[in-house]
Amino acid sequence: MLIDVTRSLFIGLGQNALIFVVTMILALPLGLCVTFGEMAKFAPLRYGMRTFVWMIRGTPLLLQLFVVLYAPGLLFDLPFRNRILAALIAFVINYACYFAEIYRGAIENIPKGQFEAGQVLGLSRRQVFTHIILLQVIKRITAPIGNEVITLVKDTSLARVIAVPEILMHATEYTSRGLIWPLFYCGVFFLAATAIVTLCFGRLERRLTRAFGEEPM
Amino acid sequence: MLSVKNLCKNFGDYIAVDNVSFDLADGEALAIIGSSGSGKTTILRLLNQLETLDSGKIIGGPCGLVFQDFNLFPQYTVLGNLTLAPRLLKKPYDQAESILDQVGLLEKRHNYPSQLSGGQRQRVAIARALMLQPAVLCFDEPTSALDPSTTGEIVKVIQALKGRQTMIIVTHNMDVCSSLADRVAIMEKGRLRWRQKA
Ligand SMILES: Nc1ncnc2c1ncn2[C@@H]1O[C@H](COP(=O)(O)OP(=O)(O)OP(=O)(O)O)[C@@H](O)[C@H]1O
Ligand SMILES: [Mg+2]
């Protein structure tokens, strides 16, 4: 029985892992694009992007999953058949916006003098960003991004509301047959995943601290 | 040689720099003193193109700037701070070690800014500005972030440049003024007045 349940949960976990990995790979860079949009000199782009981010951050991811799944069908008569794809789109957009806010906060908090010191030395805006600002931004964002990523681990189970067969969905199938413990067993999988993420980000933070010649705490 | 003609800069309707003109001969050191808010930093920022001028002309350059609060790059070592810009600009940078030696920081070349004292950071900032061989090197209150004993350290470094490097030094410190400057100008509400050196 235990082996049966474990196997079933692992199959579900595959879907969570897929959502997690794809969201990380796409949303981290996409978030930077959103940040550049939010900080653009061109006002319509800036305001458009900020409004979009506000809408995404101001509504539940749960709702966004439904919107991505149903909106194409309602608006263009093109129903979404691929549920996992719908989930991936919703997750990537949602997390890109959260990441973007973290990036923007970090960039805006870099002292103005860092940009100016680069400029006075004759570097271009791009050189200043890639060689001076970027690593400082990365150092500042690791902790908040780490928090977001832990939330992502847990959020992946939201995909079941649009019938993506992720781990919790597998577990609740047992529940409907009167077996409760697989549901609690799920928690172990999430704990293991968040532990790994926490460890990875902890290491990254220590490495960055060393890269700035500071004493690790 | 630097020639500044009728420099003006407003922030909104506030006149920060009001029709400032001066010439600087090669190797000359000019000190600018004046009360807070009189526009000293703004002049240096105009010379270094950190602000756009409303009117006037700047002939000569390029300038370099040593910031009041150093603005070293925290992720680079001392040596990295010096060589970053010349490397990216495909200019020579093998003079870095001799410049560090000049400011007395050769043995700290592999340290990070976070591992240096205030005076050492300021010396790195000066060395970094010297790397690109600016025609005019500007200092914005080079000693105001330092305690009096460290001030002497920086004065010595700047003194060693005297005669070889054209300089503009904004300062509140009269000792810095008298020991470093060939000429002293007083900034007052955006205008520049000359003071004969005693
Ligand atoms: N970016 C800006 N926007 C608006 N006003 C500014 C700006 N920069 C400077 N000012 C104003 O211009 C005036 C001159 O400023 P500046 O920094 O040049 O003074 P300062 O002589 O360097 O003073 P301090 O001795 O305190 O450093 C000040 O009144 C300041 O408020
Ligand atoms: Mg000033």
Side-chain angles (χ1 to χ4, degrees), chain A residues 26-57:
Chain A
L26 296 181
L28 284 170
L30 186 63
L32 197 57
C33 299
V34 174
T35 306
F36 288 145
E38 281 187 297
M39 297 175 74
K41 286 221 174 83
F42 183 58
L45 175 61
R46 188 171 66 238
Y47 288 117
M49 209 48 120
R50 290 194 182 187
T51 309
F52 180 73
V53 170
W54 170 71
M55 281 167 58
I56 295 293
R57 299 211 317 152

Side-chain angles (χ1 to χ4, degrees), chain A residues 87-210:
Chain A
L88 290 175
I89 292 173
F91 268 88
V92 168
I93 292 176
N94 182 278
Y95 272 85
C97 289
Y98 277 94
F99 291 153
E101 283 306 282
I102 294 175
Y103 297 152
R104 183 160 70 98
I107 293 173
E108 285 174 350
N109 275 319
I110 302 279
K112 221 172 105 224
Q114 290 290 310
F115 295 88
E116 292 184 344
Q119 198 186 329
V120 164
L121 291 169
L123 304 182
S124 67
R125 267 177 72 116
R126 173 180 292 247
Q127 285 172 326
V128 169
F129 186 79
T130 52
H131 296 276
I132 298 170
I133 306 303
L134 188 60
L135 193 63
Q136 297 186 50
V137 169
I138 290 174
K139 182 169 187 250
R140 281 161 193 249
I141 64 175
T142 36
I145 292 283
N147 286 336
E148 245 4 280
V149 172
I150 286 171
T151 308
L152 171 62
V153 169
K154 296 174 286 182
D155 273 358
T156 54
S157 61
L158 286 175
R160 69 189 267 267
V161 299
I162 57 168
V164 171
E166 55 72 62
I167 187 167
L168 267 179
M169 190 150 158
H170 279 258
T172 47
E173 266 166 33
Y174 291 100
T175 317
S176 60
R177 286 187 262 142
L179 209 57
I180 305 288
W181 64 266
L183 209 50
F184 300 134
Y185 188 25
C186 268
V188 178
F189 288 78
F190 281 105
L191 283 175
T194 48
I196 293 170
V197 169
T198 309
L199 277 176
C200 289
F201 273 88
R203 283 184 64 156
L204 184 61
E205 256 182 272
R206 278 194 300 281
R207 279 187 72 140
L208 282 166
T209 305
R210 275 204 303 275

